[in-house]
Amino acid sequence: MWYQTELTLRPRRRGFHLITRDVEQVLEPLSQMHIGLLHIFIQHTSASLTINENADPTVRNDFEQVFNRLVPENAPYYEHTLEGSDDLPAHIKASLLGPALTIPIRDGQLALGTWQGIYLCEHRDHGGSRRLVLTLQGQAL
Amino acid sequence: MWYQTELTLRPRRRGFHLITRDVEQVLEPLSQMHIGLLHIFIQHTSASLTINENADPTVRNDFEQVFNRLVPENAPYYEHTLEGSDDLPAHIKASLLGPALTIPIRDGQLALGTWQGIYLCEHRDHGGSRRLVLTLQGQAL
Amino acid sequence: MWYQTELTLRPRRRGFHLITRDVEQVLEPLSQMHIGLLHIFIQHTSASLTINENADPTVRNDFEQVFNRLVPENAPYYEHTLEGSDDLPAHIKASLLGPALTIPIRDGQLALGTWQGIYLCEHRDHGGSRRLVLTLQGQAL
């Protein structure tokens, strides 16, 4: 059993955003799966996906602060500067976090841990809407 | 052919630990698979998984040293500090390394390179036991 | 429908290299797949894979500069130094970027975004040829 769909996320400000609900809402066949995997892929190179703490919003604020220090803007050695000071750092952050997630499915639900949520990591100041490809596969219940 | 199981890893000290054996031991159907994929998922946000050098333990020590410098404790700008000085850095390290691995299977075995081993990356001082969801899929031999 | 093959990449200099074409060329069954996933796995611990900008080569140059600063050579606390000053940093970079990619397939093609390309991240000065395991699965057209 295979199912694939697209999800266009509305524009979000630069930072880290919980999108677990947005993803689950477009996965109607999920409830019929016994064992499986969900693959989520972002079709962009300056935004990324990760899984992390789903409760305390200060964690997501701290992510933004830490990643801005790990990959600073305006480093004097950057060559790729034409698209703005946030662009090259966005590409690096996107690769550090990665463009895809694979999450196990069990008994009709994502088998996430209690504190795990899916983050959209928006690395641009004005990234616009972001497109995800969701691929579901597995055994029916 | 699908198979899913859980593996609870005993508590390990903060650092990087080889768990290839622990994982293989609970994958009985692996030996019957011709082509496939193993997905390993950690249901936590302060520990993670990676693949790296499986022979020299100094590599794993150096990982701990490098990641502690990449993401220091007690940065003055951290907001999420209630759960201890190791907590927020643990979340960041977990996202840098990632919560999941997918490994190819060929002829009844994980198709790892000669020097590749699976690491549990324990980012907390007292993380306790850690739960993995293992999902195996593929074509039978 | 499952298909697995190996691809040996010719030696590349240290840095970030576009290999989308190399990968697609050995995936003959791709054109017959309606929905699916491609998994790419590198069987090494000092080179890695990522997806990023496929047009402007300065992005790939900047990646090399940024990662060399994130994980410097010859840090005084490194224990694993026997294999050369580029070796331990190569292991760390490989784990930051990861050994594997999973990419959705739709209507006989990789469902990459317009600007996305597959990078080989060669972290050693003389890494030699690199071996990939490619696993394709999905529903036929």
Side-chain angles (χ1 to χ4, degrees):
Chain A
M1 177 174 160
W2 285 83
Y3 176 77
Q4 193 174 73
T5 190
E6 280 193 15
L7 169 60
T8 300
L9 298 170
R10 62 175 167 77
R12 262 118 170 151
R13 67 167 202 286
R14 177 166 159 174
F16 292 76
H17 305 276
L18 268 180
I19 58 162
T20 316
R21 256 342 106 70
D22 306 69
V23 167
E24 286 174 340
Q25 271 172 9
V26 296
L27 295 178
E28 214 230 292
L30 178 61
S31 62
Q32 302 143 42
M33 301 192 87
H34 172 43
I35 292 176
L37 293 170
L38 168 65
H39 180 257
I40 313 176
F41 186 76
I42 192 163
Q43 288 186 312
H44 303 270
T45 60
S46 57
S48 59
L49 299 170
T50 194
I51 288 177
N52 220 290
E53 219 263 359
N54 62 15
D56 185 347
T58 63
V59 173
R60 302 196 290 282
N61 294 346
D62 286 351
F63 263 71
E64 179 64 12
Q65 297 304 315
V66 171
F67 277 88
N68 288 343
R69 284 160 174 87
L70 270 179
V71 192
E73 298 195 9
N74 299 310
Y77 54 87
Y78 291 163
E79 291 181 52
H80 180 79
T81 53
L82 274 178
E83 298 179 50
S85 64
D86 59 326
D87 188 61
L88 193 271
H91 289 308
I92 305 282
K93 293 169 185 173
S95 277
L96 284 171
L97 290 161
L101 295 170
T102 306
I103 300 172
I105 293 164
R106 191 175 41 204
D107 294 334
Q109 298 196 307
L110 300 182
L112 291 166
T114 312
W115 304 106
Q116 290 184 310
I118 303 169
Y119 286 19
L120 168 69
C121 317
E122 175 54 73
H123 305 303
R124 299 287 326 249
D125 292 336
H126 305 286
S129 59
R130 298 297 195 173
R131 208 167 49 252
L132 306 183
V133 179
L134 310 179
T135 307
L136 206 60
Q137 54 163 324
Q139 280 185 327
L141 274 171
Chain B
M1 178 173 159
W2 284 83
Y3 176 77
Q4 193 176 72
T5 190
E6 282 194 14
L7 169 60
T8 301
L9 297 171
R10 61 173 167 77
R12 263 119 169 150
R13 69 167 201 287
R14 176 167 159 173
F16 292 76
H17 305 276
L18 267 180
I19 58 162
T20 316
R21 256 342 106 69
D22 305 68
V23 167
E24 287 173 339
Q25 272 171 8
V26 296
L27 295 178
E28 215 231 291
L30 179 61
S31 63
Q32 301 143 40
M33 300 191 87
H34 173 43
I35 292 176
L37 293 170
L38 169 64
H39 181 257
I40 315 176
F41 185 77
I42 192 163
Q43 289 186 310
H44 303 270
T45 60
S46 58
S48 59
L49 299 170
T50 194
I51 288 177
N52 221 289
E53 219 263 359
N54 61 15
D56 184 347
T58 64
V59 173
R60 301 195 291 282
N61 294 345
D62 286 350
F63 263 71
E64 178 64 11
Q65 297 304 315
V66 171
F67 277 88
N68 288 342
R69 283 162 176 85
L70 270 178
V71 192
E73 298 194 9
N74 298 311
Y77 55 89
Y78 291 164
E79 290 180 51
H80 181 80
T81 53
L82 274 177
E83 298 179 50
S85 64
D86 59 326
D87 187 61
L88 192 272
H91 289 307
I92 304 282
K93 293 169 185 172
S95 277
L96 284 171
L97 290 162
L101 295 170
T102 305
I103 301 172
I105 294 164
R106 191 175 40 204
D107 295 334
Q109 300 197 306
L110 300 181
L112 291 166
T114 311
W115 305 105
Q116 289 183 309
I118 304 168
Y119 287 17
L120 169 69
C121 318
E122 175 55 73
H123 304 303
R124 299 285 327 246
D125 292 336
H126 305 286
S129 58
R130 298 297 195 173
R131 208 166 50 251
L132 307 183
V133 179
L134 311 179
T135 307
L136 206 58
Q137 54 162 325
Q139 280 186 325
L141 274 171
Chain C
M1 178 174 160
W2 284 83
Y3 176 77
Q4 194 175 71
T5 190
E6 282 193 15
L7 169 60
T8 301
L9 298 170
R10 62 175 167 76
R12 261 117 170 154
R13 70 167 201 286
R14 176 165 159 174
F16 292 76
H17 305 277
L18 267 180
I19 57 163
T20 316
R21 255 343 105 71
D22 305 68
V23 167
E24 287 174 339
Q25 272 172 8
V26 297
L27 294 178
E28 215 231 292
L30 178 61
S31 62
Q32 301 143 43
M33 300 191 87
H34 172 43
I35 292 176
L37 293 170
L38 169 64
H39 180 256
I40 314 177
F41 185 77
I42 192 162
Q43 290 186 310
H44 303 270
T45 59
S46 56
S48 59
L49 299 170
T50 195
I51 287 177
N52 221 290
E53 219 263 0
N54 61 16
D56 184 347
T58 64
V59 173
R60 301 195 291 280
N61 294 346
D62 285 350
F63 263 71
E64 179 64 12
Q65 298 303 315
V66 171
F67 278 88
N68 288 343
R69 284 162 175 86
L70 270 179
V71 192
E73 298 196 9
N74 298 311
Y77 54 88
Y78 291 164
E79 290 180 51
H80 181 80
T81 53
L82 275 178
E83 298 178 51
S85 65
D86 59 326
D87 188 60
L88 191 273
H91 290 308
I92 304 282
K93 293 169 185 172
S95 278
L96 284 172
L97 290 161
L101 295 170
T102 305
I103 300 172
I105 294 164
R106 192 174 40 203
D107 294 334
Q109 298 197 307
L110 300 182
L112 292 167
T114 312
W115 304 105
Q116 289 183 309
I118 303 168
Y119 286 18
L120 168 69
C121 318
E122 176 55 73
H123 305 303
R124 299 286 327 247
D125 291 337
H126 305 286
S129 59
R130 299 297 195 174
R131 207 166 51 252
L132 306 183
V133 180
L134 311 179
T135 306
L136 207 58
Q137 55 162 325
Q139 280 185 326
L141 275 170

